[in-house]
Amino acid sequence: MSRKRSHDSDKEMDSGSEDSSRQNSDAEVDDEVEKEIVDVDFEFFDPKPIDFHAMKRMLMASFGDDAEDFNLSALVDLILSQNTIGSTVKFEGDDDPYAFLTVLNMHVHSESEPIRQIKDYLLKKSEKRGVSSQLSDIFGAPGHVGLLLCERVVNMPPQVVAPMLKMLVEELEWAVADGEPYEFEHYVLLAPMYRETEAVDDDEAGAKKRTGPVIDAYGHAEDEFIEEFASTKFDYKFSRSKRVAESRNSFADTGLAPSRRCLVIHKSKMAALIARLESALAM
């Protein structure tokens, strides 16, 4: 099955307001700020082999410093093997996707190397957060678990996520009606996070000392709303972090460090989740 879906969006390139002028009794005139509006056509496609390298680059960014611990080429192959499930987003006339969303059955593909690696990785990370038994129960339950992969480049607006997710749910319903194994009890999403402190000062020994509270921020705006529907969640740091506290780079000096938050969503929450995204991220 092949399909092409179109969705138009206006993207603001510069903040400001339309040219305007006002006169008052004091003859004050506001500065004019020009606002440039660019029409961008987003096209939605099924995943295709031509998307392999762009998908792999986005997944490498998603798995961050630990990307080398996973067979990401095999993971992309799994995505492309189910080309009627999920979507990619491309600009008109561009072959490379700038975003994609799909789901992989962690039970059906339990023996594949990348799914096994991801499952073991999450179970190990969850032990440090005291939720390993909950995650083990979810992975070991009869109901299937879907690994939800939602990736996009930084300049792709979050507004594309809601329609992609809505299409995905419809595709899963069609697949289940055809007897395919896409009826999930839970979905697992790995959300990019950044942790920062408000201030970093040198102590008497010259070492960096955090003086402000830790602040967490989502790398993807939509994940803040998805978290509202998570039944289980936990944060984890990369095992192979390349940004050490002692280094004098901009990340360390400002206290900014990437991490991840694992969100587990029950299937009963998906309809409300999509409605929330459509409302919160309306164009």
Side-chain angles (χ1 to χ4, degrees), residues 132-152:
S132 59
S133 60
Q134 299 176 40
L135 197 60
S136 295
D137 289 344
I138 291 171
F139 284 149
H144 288 196
V145 176
L147 177 62
L148 197 60
L149 298 170
C150 182
E151 306 300 336
R152 55 186 175 85

Side-chain angles (χ1 to χ4, degrees), residues 24-250:
N24 55 30
S25 58
D26 296 325
E28 294 180 350
V29 179
D30 292 339
D31 291 334
E32 295 181 353
V33 179
E34 183 177 348
K35 180 180 181 182
E36 181 183 358
I37 302 296
V38 177
D39 291 333
V40 178
D41 289 334
F42 296 137
E43 296 182 322
F44 296 78
F45 294 89
D46 295 318
K48 298 176 182 179
I50 196 174
D51 303 328
F52 180 92
H53 293 292
M55 283 185 167
K56 185 175 179 180
R57 285 194 298 269
M58 283 186 270
L59 287 171
M60 289 179 66
S62 176
F63 285 94
D65 294 339
D66 290 346
E68 61 190 87
D69 293 336
F70 306 95
N71 188 340
L72 296 182
S73 293
L75 186 61
V76 177
D77 286 337
L78 280 181
I79 295 171
L80 296 177
S81 71
Q82 49 177 41
N83 62 358
T84 60
I85 300 295
S87 302
T88 62
V89 182
K90 301 179 181 181
F91 292 134
E92 185 177 14
D94 200 332
D95 289 334
D96 281 342
Y98 285 77
F100 75 89
L101 187 148
T102 192
V103 63
L104 293 171
N105 192 319
M106 298 187 73
H107 285 218
V108 170
H109 300 297
S110 60
E111 296 303 315
S112 69
E113 183 180 20
I115 296 300
R116 187 173 64 250
Q117 290 171 334
I118 292 171
K119 179 181 176 181
D120 292 344
Y121 179 85
L122 292 177
L123 287 173
K124 183 177 180 180
K125 293 295 185 182
S126 66
E127 289 179 358
K128 299 179 180 180
R129 294 297 180 179
V131 295
S132 59
S133 60
Q134 299 176 40
L135 197 60
S136 295
D137 289 344
I138 291 171
F139 284 149
H144 288 196
V145 176
L147 177 62
L148 197 60
L149 298 170
C150 182
E151 306 300 336
R152 55 186 175 85
V153 298
V154 292
N155 62 338
M156 175 60 68
Q159 283 82 1
V160 301
V161 176
M164 282 200 297
L165 191 56
K166 192 171 185 178
M167 286 188 289
L168 177 65
V169 171
E170 292 175 349
E171 291 163 351
L172 296 179
E173 291 174 351
W174 298 336
V176 170
D178 290 338
E180 299 181 55
Y182 289 104
E183 187 169 1
F184 299 111
E185 190 71 16
H186 291 92
Y187 296 86
V188 173
L189 174 69
L190 308 182
M193 300 287 296
Y194 291 92
R195 309 200 81 188
E196 60 180 352
T197 58
E198 291 184 343
V200 181
D201 294 331
D202 290 329
D203 61 16
E204 294 181 357
K208 292 293 182 181
K209 181 180 179 181
R210 308 301 180 193
T211 60
V214 173
I215 301 173
D216 290 330
Y218 276 109
H220 291 166
E222 64 272 15
D223 292 335
E224 178 181 352
F225 306 106
I226 294 175
E227 183 189 352
E228 298 173 8
F229 301 90
S231 58
T232 301
K233 62 182 180 181
F234 63 91
D235 294 355
Y236 62 89
K237 298 179 181 179
F238 293 126
S239 302
R240 298 174 179 270
S241 178
K242 295 178 174 60
R243 299 180 179 93
V244 295
E246 291 79 12
S247 64
R248 294 298 188 265
N249 56 39
S250 59

